[in-house]
Amino acid sequence: MFSVAVLEPGKTGVVEIPKPTPGPYEALVKTEIAYICNATDRKLVAGHFPGIGHDRYPLLLGHESAGIVESVGAKVKSFKPGDRVIGALLFRTGDVRYQSGWGGNSEFLLASDAAAMQADGVADAEHGYDDVFKIMKTVPKDISAEAAGLLCTWREVYAGFSDFHLKAGDEVLIYGAGPVGLSFCIFAKLLGLAWVGVVDMKEEKRAKAKELGADAVFSPDDPALKELTKRRGKPLDAVIDAVGHETIINAALPLIKMAGSICVYGVLAAPTLTLKKDEGPYNFNLYMHQWPTRDAEAAAQEPLVDWIRSEKIKASDFMTATFPFREIGKALAATELPGALKTMLDFRSGK
């Protein structure tokens, strides 16, 4: 089968590797579509993902996919052939030349049955159990492959609301109008937050945020942003950094109320953080969400499916480009374009 690989930092290609064989608790999933993650995948391509050195290359890319179960192992209970599944990965590459960068951009993937492993008392490291198995889940057939794949992003963002202790009535500012920032914007309005502002460098993304419900949008150098507290007559409950950068964290400090929160979503590339604490209130919270909370992420799927069905969230609002998986170079280039959100790789043609 074929898989998208980062051959070395800055260089991608499509390689041929053995088709995986499912173990007793695994389902073999034939990939329909996959998305490029603008954060993790692009950092892996560039060779800058924290904790993954250049000795890990070449590696197989991807972790946001949807596909159809082809076969299942003898002890699988949660999946059956024909099910649409999200979250499947490829930890075992089957080829010593390639390591796993989660491997989700491959023609075939493996989904592990967390519930069955837990029921049989083998949900432990000795039996290869991983917490990520909890989010390898079936999706109802009336949910399109395109929307199902986006659930990989949407579930984690939705779970972030509980990690960040955000609630109805809060007033928040979101830095970043990429897929994560826009998801926070939409979900905030649907969950009853009272005011949502969005900051982004690109005019196209600010316009998209406004279209998707933001109460106000700003460029980072907008004078109105620096005067936001004065103009509104009160500080914010929270600022969400959907980019993950020290400069944003420090820019947020003067904007939050006493005991307000700065909520950082995403992996910070720098190993250290310099905090200009004197620019904020005496008391404030700094929440770091650099890795998914799997139980909350799994629980988020049901309400999100309801929102998809009622068209409160739409895949079409996020998809800005589609390419056959073999055109990975063009697909990555498309993620750099102004207004780019989610770029999809299509595996359905097999070409």
Side-chain angles (χ1 to χ4, degrees):
M1 71 168 185
F2 295 103
S3 180
V4 173
V6 186
L7 304 174
E8 60 186 50
K11 183 179 179 181
T12 59
V14 175
V15 299
E16 191 166 1
I17 61 173
K19 180 179 176 179
T21 300
Y25 290 100
E26 294 176 325
L28 180 67
V29 178
K30 182 174 177 55
T31 305
E32 297 174 283
I33 63 94
Y35 289 102
I36 295 174
C37 175
N38 292 350
T40 300
D41 288 344
R42 282 169 51 179
K43 284 187 176 74
L44 285 170
V45 171
H48 297 152
F49 192 88
I52 296 184
H54 289 189
D55 60 324
R56 289 278 300 274
Y57 292 76
L59 53 76
L60 305 183
L61 192 66
H63 60 276
E64 299 181 5
S65 68
I68 301 297
V69 174
E70 186 173 273
S71 62
V72 299
K75 297 184 178 181
V76 169
K77 300 174 183 177
S78 302
F79 310 121
K80 64 182 184 300
D83 282 346
R84 175 166 286 142
V85 170
I86 58 173
L89 298 171
L90 199 64
F91 288 128
R92 306 192 304 273
T93 69
D95 189 321
V96 296
R97 295 174 297 172
Y98 305 105
Q99 296 198 51
S100 175
W102 293 283
N105 295 349
S106 303
E107 284 191 290
F108 288 90
L109 302 169
L110 294 170
S112 296
D113 190 344
M117 294 183 76
Q118 290 165 358
D120 290 351
V122 294
D124 52 42
E126 181 182 350
H127 294 89
Y129 182 80
D130 193 288
D131 208 36
V132 75
F133 296 168
K134 295 176 181 178
I135 61 165
M136 296 177 176
K137 295 176 69 69
T138 60
V139 177
K141 275 297 186 68
D142 63 311
I143 305 301
S144 70
E146 289 79 3
L150 277 167
L151 279 168
C152 297
T153 295
W154 288 339
R155 292 185 306 186
E156 188 178 344
V157 173
Y158 189 103
F161 278 82
S162 57
D163 285 354
F164 294 153
H165 303 281
L166 299 171
K167 61 187 183 305
D170 282 350
E171 300 185 330
V172 302
L173 182 69
I174 301 164
Y175 273 82
V180 167
L182 290 175
S183 297
F184 270 114
C185 176
I186 295 171
F187 299 171
K189 301 302 288 188
L190 289 171
L191 291 170
L193 274 69
W195 185 90
V196 180
V198 175
V199 183
D200 199 275
M201 296 175 61
K202 296 178 181 178
E203 182 179 355
E204 295 89 348
K205 291 187 176 179
R206 295 196 297 272
K208 189 68 174 179
K210 193 70 173 174
E211 175 191 331
L212 295 178
D215 294 290
V217 296
F218 309 91
S219 65
D221 58 357
D222 190 337
L225 181 58
K226 294 181 180 180
E227 298 291 322
L228 185 60
T229 298
K230 182 179 179 180
R231 290 164 61 93
R232 296 182 67 249
K234 56 181 175 178
L236 297 160
D237 294 291
V239 173
I240 300 170
D241 174 6
V243 178
H245 202 281
E246 178 184 292
T247 57
I248 294 174
I249 296 169
N250 285 309
L253 279 168
L255 302 176
I256 57 172
K257 70 180 185 180
M258 185 70 164
S261 301
I262 297 174
C263 310
V264 183
Y265 181 103
V267 177
L268 291 174
T272 60
L273 174 65
T274 300
L275 199 63
K276 299 177 182 178
K277 66 180 184 64
D278 288 349
E279 296 188 9
Y282 278 109
N283 300 344
F284 63 89
N285 304 300
L286 177 60
Y287 294 116
M288 306 292 291
H289 181 104
Q290 295 187 100
W291 202 254
T293 307
R294 299 304 186 187
D295 287 322
E297 189 179 358
Q301 183 163 318
E302 185 174 351
L304 286 165
V305 165
D306 289 340
W307 282 351
I308 293 170
R309 284 176 170 150
S310 61
E311 298 190 335
K312 292 177 179 177
I313 52 175
K314 302 176 185 177
S316 59
D317 285 331
F318 287 78
M319 293 173 57
T320 49
T322 300
F323 294 88
F325 72 91
R326 289 184 178 275
E327 296 183 10
I328 180 60
K330 292 181 179 178
L332 285 166
T335 66
E336 303 282 356
L337 297 175
L341 296 174
K342 295 301 286 186
T343 299
M344 191 183 85
L345 300 175
D346 199 330
F347 285 80
R348 288 171 289 201
S349 69
K351 298 180 181 179

